[in-house]
Structures are given as C-alpha cells and as structure tokens.
Amino acid sequence: MNIITVGLDLAKSVFHVVCFNDHFKEVKKRMLRRNQVLQFFAQLPPSRVGMEACASSHYWGRELRALGHEVKLVPPQYVKPYLRGNKNDYNDARAIAEAATRPSMPFVAIKTVAEQDMQAIHRMRAQCIRDRTALSNSTRGLLGEFGIVLPKGLTTLRKSIPGLLEDAENGLSDRFRNLLVRRYEQLVELDEHIAFYTNELVVLSQQDDACQRLQTVPGFGPIVSSAFRSAIGDGRAYGHGRAASASLGLVPRQHSSGGKDNLLGISKRGDRYLRSLLVHGARAVVVQAARKDDPLSRWINRIRKERGWNKAVVAMANKLARIGWAILRYNTIYQPVSAASRH
C-alpha cells in the first residue's frame, strides 16, 4: 500500500483521515480519536499531509512535520471548490487532500511556537482594549442618565470619575457611587493588563532579530513589528511583496473581463487587526513626511496632493507591508534610497 498523500480533517475530539496512493486512488480511510492521531501517522511512510489552516492546525503541523511528513496548510476558502458530494467529514478530508496536491495552491506557513506566543499576546491585548472601550462607553452612558455628560476620551473619563465621586451635589445616589467605584477599579485593572501585554511585546521585539530589523522601517514600532512578524513569518509563504500586501487586504479588488482591467476599492481581506496596525503606522509616516524632503517623503507628499490624505495613508501602508516582507524574506534591513527608487 503506497501512501503518498493524506487528507486530515481536524476537529477537537474526532479526526477523519483519507489516504491516497501515487495515482490518487483512495487506499485507506480512518476515524481517529485525538489521542490516536500521532500514533497513526507515526506508522505511515513520509507523506504529503494536507490540512485546513484552522484552529490547532499549526500545532498539528509541527507535530506531523517532526514525524517526517510534508505538511501543507490550505486556506479553507480554497478547499471548498474541491468538495464533491454531500458535506461530511470524509468528503472534507478528500477535498483537503486534492487541494494540497495543486501546484499553484497558496499554502499557509506553519507558525513556530515563538510566533504563536507573539500572536497570543496580541490577541489578549486586543481583547482587553475592546473590553476597556466597551466599559468606558457604558460608563459614559450610565452617567448620562444622571445628567452628567462627559467628553469623549479615556483620559477624560479617568480624570472625571474621582471628581464625580467627591462631588456631593451632582445628583448621584449613594448606591450608584458604589457602583461607579467598582467600575473605576475595573478600568484601572484593564489599563494594567494592557500595559503588561504591551511591555511583553516590547521585550519580545527586543529579543527577536527579525523584529529589530523591521523596526528600522518608518512606521514599524514594537507593536507593529511583532504583529507583522507573527503573521508573515519568514516571508517564504509569499512569492513577492505584493502577495503579502494582498493577503492583508491593502490592494484594490479586481473585476476584469474581456481584456479590460477594472480595479475596485481596497479589498480589506485577511487579518483586519494587522491591517489596522499598518494603517496607523502609515498615518504617522504620512504626518512626518510633510516636514521632510527625502525621496520617500516626496513620494508620499505627491500621492497626498494628487489623491488625498486617506489614499496616501493606504498607499503607504501597502508599501510598509511590501518593505516588511522583503526584510523578512531576504534577512536584510531597511534601505531608504532603494525603497523610494521603486516608485
């Protein structure tokens, strides 16, 4: 039984495997419990194992690669066209295996443990920021019900709450004052959590050589560089910088036909969190470019004058993604003259 390709449908507890020979004829299929997966693959000859790039896929990719298999992570949206028949786990595994054999298929790079550490910190930090925003908006709304309207901004809210608690003439009941004290403690606690995660990212970016090289680029600080590093990896999963930028949704959508090119708005596909960080970094670069006269700043100012502020920011974010990919892929640092000369 010559097994060449294996399709593995991942799950929490019950996994489904379909094996194919060199003529892509099905030779084995099996349902496995979680504790049986590694034992099953340890008995197989080195094969190409296809999986969807989903939850826990990077963990299983590292484990199966350690057993000598060639692991291919396929984006789920590219697996769907290969699904034949009704939707079930075995048919999913067959579709994954077929998609993994396509030579032009864009595969997802398997993340290292260090890259997943960075990504986990970013996810936790982002959740705390969302919770803090929701808490501040809720508090401002509750205060509005007592006739106290505060200006927008976290800083204003932090400064105003102690004064409201001390003011005995503002109409707040004793019960609500106790509730406001608890809400203020929650706000302080979230600030401490966010500061902790931010400090962790700064420390990790100082210890990681790739993050240090990314920070030579204008617009890349510890937060942006660590997020970019954890998402793009070493850059080998992308053939060129535009592919990396397109995966982050920083290029126009296309709807062309009959030899006529038709470009639409920015696609906004991929990782929204990383894309927002790149746009914020690009915005800082565009602001500073107005006071500079280097080649990159002249290019930014020209785009800003011809196309407007927002398009200049997105264009700069696109350039940052391409430059960041080149730095990771070719193990180099930022070279301002070379970057500006391409445009």
Side-chain angles (χ1 to χ4, degrees), residues 107-118:
F107 297 110
V108 176
I110 298 175
K111 294 185 184 299
T112 64
V113 174
E115 290 167 353
Q116 285 198 283
D117 285 343
M118 286 186 183

Side-chain angles (χ1 to χ4, degrees), residues 44-257:
L44 292 181
S47 310
R48 179 195 294 114
V49 181
M51 298 184 294
E52 282 187 330
C54 59
S56 76
S57 60
H58 294 282
Y59 163 75
W60 289 112
R62 292 192 299 268
E63 294 294 322
L64 296 182
R65 180 182 286 174
L67 294 175
H69 298 287
E70 179 189 5
V71 181
K72 299 291 186 181
L73 299 186
V74 187
Q77 65 269 27
Y78 295 146
V79 174
K80 187 65 175 178
Y82 295 96
L83 179 63
R84 294 192 298 271
N86 295 318
K87 170 74 169 66
N88 60 59
D89 295 325
Y90 283 122
N91 282 345
D92 287 345
R94 294 183 182 100
I96 293 169
E98 187 168 352
T101 62
R102 301 300 94 191
S104 60
M105 180 64 64
F107 297 110
V108 176
I110 298 175
K111 294 185 184 299
T112 64
V113 174
E115 290 167 353
Q116 285 198 283
D117 285 343
M118 286 186 183
Q119 190 177 63
I121 297 173
H122 276 283
R123 294 293 183 267
M124 294 177 184
R125 180 177 179 272
Q127 184 176 7
C128 286
I129 291 175
R130 288 195 299 269
D131 291 344
R132 184 178 65 178
T133 301
L135 185 142
S136 64
N137 290 338
S138 172
T139 303
R140 191 177 288 108
L142 291 171
L143 287 170
E145 296 298 324
F146 288 88
I148 300 174
V149 178
L150 298 178
K152 293 181 180 179
L154 281 168
T155 303
T156 302
L157 184 65
R158 290 192 196 96
K159 293 179 179 179
S160 300
I161 290 179
L164 293 174
L165 293 172
E166 294 177 0
D167 186 359
E169 306 298 329
N170 54 18
L172 296 180
S173 65
D174 292 339
R175 184 178 298 277
F176 186 80
R177 289 178 190 275
N178 292 331
L179 296 175
L180 192 59
V181 169
R182 179 61 62 90
R183 182 56 63 93
Y184 184 71
E185 291 173 352
Q186 287 180 284
L187 180 61
V188 172
E189 182 181 359
L190 284 172
D191 285 337
E192 292 174 352
H193 288 317
I194 293 170
F196 170 79
Y197 293 131
T198 302
N199 183 66
E200 285 291 302
L201 290 174
V202 171
V203 172
L204 279 178
S205 65
Q206 291 173 347
Q207 297 173 347
D208 189 86
D209 177 67
C211 289
Q212 289 294 298
R213 288 187 281 107
L214 284 172
Q215 290 182 63
T216 61
V217 184
F220 275 86
I223 305 298
V224 181
S225 62
S226 57
F228 193 84
R229 169 79 169 86
S230 65
I232 304 300
D234 60 4
R236 297 182 185 276
Y238 304 92
H240 43 73
R242 190 184 188 281
S245 180
S247 72
L248 299 175
L250 290 170
V251 300
R253 291 184 293 119
Q254 189 177 34
H255 189 80
S256 302
S257 180

Side-chain angles (χ1 to χ4, degrees), residues 228-296:
F228 193 84
R229 169 79 169 86
S230 65
I232 304 300
D234 60 4
R236 297 182 185 276
Y238 304 92
H240 43 73
R242 190 184 188 281
S245 180
S247 72
L248 299 175
L250 290 170
V251 300
R253 291 184 293 119
Q254 189 177 34
H255 189 80
S256 302
S257 180
K260 182 178 180 181
D261 294 334
N262 184 26
L263 297 180
L264 306 175
I266 299 300
S267 67
K268 297 183 181 179
R269 64 191 295 184
D271 191 337
R272 181 172 61 180
Y273 173 74
L274 177 55
R275 183 172 63 253
S276 67
L277 289 180
L278 287 171
V279 169
H280 286 315
R283 186 176 290 113
V285 177
V286 173
V287 169
Q288 295 297 323
R291 297 187 288 271
K292 296 181 180 180
D293 193 40
D294 57 277
L296 179 61

